[in-house]
Amino acid sequence: MRARDLDALGFPKLLDALAARTVSALGAEACRALRPARDLASAARVLDRQWAFFRLLEMDATLPLAPFADIREALALAAHEGAVLTGKQLLEVRTVLRQVQSLHRFFQARRTEWPDLADLPARLHAFPELEAALSRMLDDDGLLRDGASPRLAELRAALRDLRQEIEERLAKIVNASAADAFADRYVTVRNNRFVVPLKAGAASRVAGVVQDRSASGETLFIEPLFAIELNNRLLLLAKEEELEELRLLTLLTTQVGSARDELVVALAALAEIDRLAAVAAFARRFHCMRPALADRFELRQARHPELLATRDVVTPVDIRIGDGKRALVISGPNTGGKSVALKTLGLLVLMAQSGILIPAAEGSSLPFVRALHTDLADDQSIERNLSTFSAHIVNLVEIVADLAPPVLVLLDEPGTGTDPEEGASLAVALLDRLLGAGALVAVATHYAPVKLYALNEPRIEIASVDVDAHTFEPRFRLLYGSVGASLGLRMARRLALPSDLIDVAEQRQAASTRELASAIERLEASRRRLDDERTAVEEERRALAEVEREHAALVAELRDRRRSKWQGELEEAREFVRTLKAEGRELLDVIRRRPPDAARALADFVRDKREVIESHATALDPTEREDSGRPPVIGDTVEIRDSQVRGELVEIAGGSARIRRGTLTFQVPADRIRIVSDSATAATARRSARRTQEWGVQGSTNAERGEPLALATTEVHLIGMRVREALEKLDGFLDQAQQRGTSSVRIVHGIGTGALKKAVADYLSGSPYCTGFHEAPANQGGAGATIVDLG
């Protein structure tokens, strides 16, 4: 891709922002070297690799990455025979080796889980022996340790002893002499030899060699005669130390040189890891994601990286080119963000194809493009003596010459810089040529002919930038299927340009221009109205869908609980039968010695009880209920399938049946009823009686809390309950109220958010107990309570 296009879209600035997040100069260099991939497979590969690295850091431990030096020069030097690296250079090599080892362990432990990063451990070739040698022989300042070799330890010990001897003997001379002879009472070094500072006038008092004098000439630095031999020995030992250090540094350099090739590979891997970490940090900071590389061109909630770095709040924008279309034409006033939308689109394409995660929402997708060409803003070239228009034309010549698909072209007001009519004609012709060549195109324009062309061309997606119709404040979003007016004169009027001047300008507008502007304004008004209506409908649909989902889940849960209750009661009944049989056998054993009539009477008793219990079990277990062999007739006790609602069949007409339950009569489909045996009916009655007793207990509990006992019979309180819990309580309450023949009850649900009140109303609308319901009068709770008629 052309450097001018990368510059126009701010790609180098983005790379600088990534480089600022690295820990090494090599990592920063790797960031600045990023370029879009040349083919789709490569683009997908680098993007997958970066996404895997980002997810690894999000889900796993902290990356053991620390600052490291650029040792490429040291490695190149170490490859030459006889070369010697300094202690500082070797120290930098040691730091790199430690980084390589720690990162090798980190990625080796995760290579199976993250296959996109599985090559890193092999590239991070560790040299533990070399690292150990460097650590043993060098201190943290890059100096050789005394223990680097036995000979070095011996020489340094001798040097320390000899220095101490020389300093002590010279100090004795200084301290024993008259105070007026020495300039100061200390021992110092001149020309690598220990000396004493003697006043120039007292030089004859100490026999020796003058090694130096002060700048003022007042002080002479004398090496006493006895110290000459000692200093000579010291210099010889220091020379031997230097040679030994040189030998050791040469040895370490040779070891580094022998590992040079592997270290170059490892260093490149470190630089890449630093770059991947920097991009991951950028992605985490600005909530970036991996876009799909597909045929679709859709950016959801896209944000420009430069705006993210400089502003606290950035309004995201959706940018798309619909299926079957090849171009996007954006119109509207200057303040709406047309150019920003184009640059955001272009920059995010460059980022994705360079393996950089983009600041957009999930579900975003971009096609791969071989080239991305731009013609944005003013491009006047002073150096080449080109005007703005000429510079644009020269650029367009290069673009038109390179349209082999896949290519993306971004044009900001093509045809500008010349006569508007000619410029508009040129823009239309250019757009037609680009579409004919199969290019993807995004254009920002004010020209009416370009807008009309876009409206009539099925390959073009149209959009306008959204602005407040009254204040002209930009909303920084695109409205698709809409053509935007430029609003130049209206904005000029708002900005206090003299009204008479604006009036003249409006009169001078061509009739076709005024008509187009009026049509666009009407179209926009209609579109806004339809958008508002569509939004309201969508909100209602979402709310209805949510209610339906909650209702379905509630019904399913109630059925599950009812089935569990049936199964529990059935198991209790069967356990009772087993217990009764066991007790009966024990009793039979006891009375075997009694008259036969007693045994027969007991056997009859047990048989009768077993029949009653089995009948009870059949009534409880919904899986064991079966219809009798005949169809139901008027007067039969029937049950609605998959429910506990029973009653007397009073009418069958066609496909409907009417059932009476107490004072309530309701209609159900005839194929949903079945005859209930007398034993099952009796079992139901007993369960109802038991629930009545339970509600009586609940009423006592209410009374203990200070609530009226009447709440157990004509009122139920649901305030503070969850919807499911409240509806369960309401179901049992209404069942008992209907059994007692209560004609009206009050449900206290409160006002709150209205969710519980709505759930109660939905339940009552489908309840067979309820013949009608309404909000309670003000003196009975008003909107916080509901009165239910039970017939």
Side-chain angles (χ1 to χ4, degrees):
M1 295 186 182
R2 301 183 305 173
R4 63 169 295 158
D5 297 319
L6 301 181
D7 291 338
L9 294 173
F11 191 64
K13 290 183 179 179
L14 171 70
L15 298 185
D16 286 339
L18 296 177
R21 288 173 164 78
T22 59
V23 300
S24 70
L26 281 175
E29 181 181 305
C31 286
R32 294 188 176 95
L34 281 172
R35 291 297 181 272
R38 295 178 178 274
D39 58 82
L40 176 58
S42 298
R45 184 169 58 253
V46 296
L47 199 54
D48 287 342
R49 188 175 180 85
Q50 182 63 66
W51 181 238
F53 196 94
F54 174 77
R55 290 174 55 231
L56 167 64
L57 297 189
E58 289 291 292
M59 301 169 60
D60 211 328
T62 303
L63 183 71
L65 180 65
F68 59 92
D70 180 1
I71 62 169
R72 289 176 296 184
E73 182 178 345
L75 293 178
L77 179 62
H80 292 84
E81 185 177 356
V84 180
L85 298 179
T86 65
K88 180 180 179 182
Q89 289 174 313
L90 290 170
L91 187 64
E92 291 175 346
V93 172
R94 188 184 73 179
T95 302
V96 169
L97 288 173
R98 289 178 175 176
Q99 276 286 278
V100 169
Q101 288 187 40
S102 61
L103 288 170
H104 174 85
R105 290 191 296 268
F106 180 85
F107 287 105
Q108 181 66 30
R110 295 160 177 81
R111 61 178 304 174
T112 303
E113 185 179 0
W114 303 97
D116 290 315
L117 305 171
D119 64 299
L120 287 175
R123 293 170 57 197
L124 293 166
H125 188 83
F127 291 89
E129 298 84 1
L130 177 57
E131 191 277 329
L134 291 170
S135 297
R136 178 178 59 83
M137 298 173 67
L138 295 174
D139 62 18
D140 292 338
D141 294 322
L143 301 176
L144 286 167
R145 302 179 189 272
D146 290 354
S149 73
R151 178 56 178 163
L152 183 62
E154 178 185 343
L155 290 171
R156 288 185 174 176
L159 282 169
R160 283 193 294 270
D161 292 342
L162 186 54
R163 287 193 185 98
Q164 183 177 358
E165 179 184 352
I166 295 173
E167 289 180 356
E168 288 178 352
R169 292 183 64 178
L170 291 177
K172 287 181 180 179
I173 294 176
V174 171
N175 294 328
S177 301
D180 58 349
F182 288 91
D184 206 342
R185 295 189 179 277
Y186 63 86
V187 177
T188 186
V189 176
R190 288 292 187 275
N191 300 324
N192 294 321
R193 305 179 76 86
F194 282 95
V195 295
V196 293
L198 196 67
K199 292 181 180 180
S204 60
R205 297 186 186 184
V206 178
V209 178
V210 178
Q211 292 291 344
D212 198 4
R213 65 181 296 173
S214 66
S216 64
E218 297 294 328
T219 302
L220 299 178
F221 295 96
I222 305 296
E223 179 185 13
L225 292 178
F226 78 88
I228 293 176
E229 181 183 357
L230 295 176
N231 278 326
N232 289 340
R233 287 170 53 196
L234 187 65
L235 289 175
L236 291 175
L237 283 175
K239 189 62 176 180
E240 290 187 48
E241 178 194 28
E242 182 181 341
L243 291 174
E244 179 63 12
E245 289 177 347
L246 179 62
R247 185 186 71 82
L248 295 175
L249 293 177
T250 303
L251 177 65
L252 292 175
T253 301
T254 301
Q255 294 181 37
V256 172
S258 65
R260 174 185 176 276
D261 293 340
E262 292 86 350
L263 285 176
V264 168
V265 173
L267 192 62
L270 285 182
E272 183 187 5
I273 291 170
D274 194 9
R275 171 180 62 78
L276 290 170
V279 176
F282 179 89
R284 183 167 54 252
R285 170 66 179 82
F286 297 117
H287 308 290
C288 299
M289 51 77 67
R290 182 209 186 282
L293 294 180
D295 294 334
R296 298 192 62 202
F297 208 135
E298 182 172 5
L299 287 173
R300 300 180 180 178
Q301 303 291 292
R303 293 153 291 145
H304 195 288
E306 186 175 348
L307 296 181
L308 288 173
T310 57
R311 297 186 184 179
D312 294 332
V313 179
V314 176
T315 303
V317 61
D318 295 333
I319 307 174
R320 70 170 186 264
I321 297 178
D323 294 338
K325 299 183 182 296
R326 304 293 301 173
L328 172 65
V329 173
I330 307 173
S331 55
N334 284 327
T335 59
K338 299 189 299 298
S339 298
V340 172
L342 290 183
K343 290 183 178 181
T344 301
L345 170 61
L347 183 54
L348 267 56
V349 167
L350 295 177
M351 291 173 66
Q353 293 187 195
S354 302
I356 304 172
L357 305 181
I358 66 171
E362 294 297 328
S364 295
S365 61
L366 292 168
F368 172 80
V369 294
R370 175 192 59 80
L372 194 162
H373 297 309
T374 64
D375 190 66
L376 307 174
D378 285 344
D379 195 12
Q380 188 173 17
S381 177
I382 298 176
E383 295 84 357
R384 298 173 60 188
N385 194 27
L386 295 177
S387 67
T388 299
F389 180 74
S390 299
H392 281 298
I393 296 301
V394 170
N395 186 31
L396 292 174
V397 168
E398 295 180 7
I399 293 174
V400 172
D402 183 29
L403 293 180
V407 63
L408 172 63
V409 181
L410 306 179
L411 304 175
D412 190 357
E413 198 61 85
T416 189
T418 186
D419 177 77
E421 185 175 349
E422 289 183 348
S425 300
L426 177 61
V428 171
L430 178 62
L431 186 53
D432 190 65
R433 168 64 67 87
L434 296 174
L435 289 174
L440 288 166
V441 188
V443 178
T445 186
H446 286 290
Y447 289 142
V450 178
K451 298 176 187 178
L452 292 174
Y453 174 79
L455 281 170
N456 293 308
E457 174 55 65
R459 294 174 294 179
I460 296 179
E461 180 95 65
I462 59 173
S464 65
V465 291
D466 191 17
V467 297
D468 188 281
H470 304 290
T471 65
F472 303 124
E473 289 295 324
R475 293 177 175 148
F476 301 107
R477 63 174 180 170
L478 299 182
L479 304 174
Y480 287 87
S482 171
V483 177
S486 295
L487 303 178
L489 295 180
R490 294 175 62 182
M491 295 181 71
R493 188 185 298 275
R494 178 174 178 78
L495 294 173
L497 198 65
S499 298
D500 57 340
L501 192 154
I502 301 296
D503 295 338
V504 171
E506 289 176 342
Q507 292 171 5
R508 288 182 174 275
Q509 277 187 308
S512 60
T513 302
R514 291 196 300 271
E515 291 173 1
L516 176 61
S518 178
I520 290 175
E521 189 171 348
R522 292 194 301 271
L523 178 64
E524 279 299 290
S526 299
R527 184 198 57 74
R528 292 180 187 277
R529 184 178 65 255
L530 292 175
D531 279 349
D532 292 341
E533 293 175 358
R534 185 187 64 220
T535 301
V537 170
E538 289 176 351
E539 288 294 332
E540 291 179 1
R541 286 178 178 174
R542 280 194 292 269
L544 179 59
E546 183 62 30
V547 170
E548 290 177 349
R549 282 194 296 271
E550 184 175 351
H551 182 265
L554 181 58
V555 169
E557 184 175 344
L558 287 174
R559 285 177 178 170
D560 290 342
R561 291 192 178 187
R562 186 173 295 168
R563 188 177 297 111
S564 298
K565 183 178 180 182
W566 282 340
Q567 291 172 350
E569 292 177 349
L570 176 60
E571 184 58 35
E572 289 178 6
R574 287 174 174 165
E575 180 63 28
F576 176 70
V577 170
R578 288 192 291 269
T579 302
L580 185 58
K581 285 180 179 179
E583 292 177 353
R585 291 191 189 97
E586 293 177 2
L587 290 175
L588 283 174
D589 290 339
V590 172
I591 65 172
R592 283 188 189 279
R593 294 183 297 276
R594 296 187 180 184
D597 291 343
R600 246 191 333 270
L602 181 59
D604 292 341
F605 172 77
V606 171
R607 183 178 61 255
D608 293 342
K609 293 300 182 183
R610 181 183 299 114
E611 291 175 355
V612 171
I613 292 170
E614 291 297 335
S615 175
H616 178 64
T618 302
L620 284 174
D621 190 351
T623 62
E624 296 181 5
R625 297 178 185 169
E626 298 181 356
D627 297 338
S628 62
R630 64 176 178 82
V633 296
I634 305 302
D636 281 343
T637 299
V638 296
E639 178 185 66
I640 301 176
R641 295 179 188 272
D642 299 327
S643 75
Q644 290 181 320
V645 179
R646 296 178 178 178
E648 179 185 357
L649 180 63
V650 296
E651 181 184 0
I652 296 181
S656 299
R658 294 185 65 80
I659 299 174
R660 181 169 56 225
R661 179 183 173 114
T663 59
L664 177 65
T665 300
F666 50 92
Q667 185 171 330
V668 297
D671 59 358
R672 292 202 57 204
I673 64 172
R674 61 181 170 191
I675 300 174
V676 181
S677 65
D678 293 339
S679 61
T681 304
T684 301
R686 286 194 296 275
R687 287 199 305 276
S688 297
R690 184 167 64 251
R691 283 199 299 267
T692 300
Q693 294 174 357
E694 292 171 356
W695 276 88
V697 172
Q698 178 64 40
S700 300
T701 302
N702 290 341
E704 291 169 3
R705 291 198 303 262
E707 299 177 6
L709 188 60
L711 289 179
T713 56
T714 63
E715 293 184 2
V716 61
H717 280 243
L718 308 179
I719 296 175
M721 295 184 178
R722 295 183 179 273
V723 171
R724 291 181 177 83
E725 179 186 2
L727 293 185
E728 284 184 8
K729 181 174 182 180
L730 179 59
D731 180 70
F733 170 75
L734 293 179
D735 184 68
Q736 296 308 313
Q738 196 277 335
Q739 290 290 334
R740 291 191 300 273
T742 305
S743 61
S744 176
V745 296
R746 186 167 76 113
I747 303 171
V748 181
H749 44 65
I751 298 176
T753 63
L756 182 57
K757 179 178 180 180
K758 187 177 186 306
V760 169
D762 291 342
Y763 172 83
L764 293 176
S765 298
S767 173
Y769 303 116
C770 174
T771 59
F773 63 93
H774 57 85
E775 186 177 292
N779 62 351
Q780 295 186 34
T786 298
I787 304 298
V788 182
D789 298 326
L790 302 179

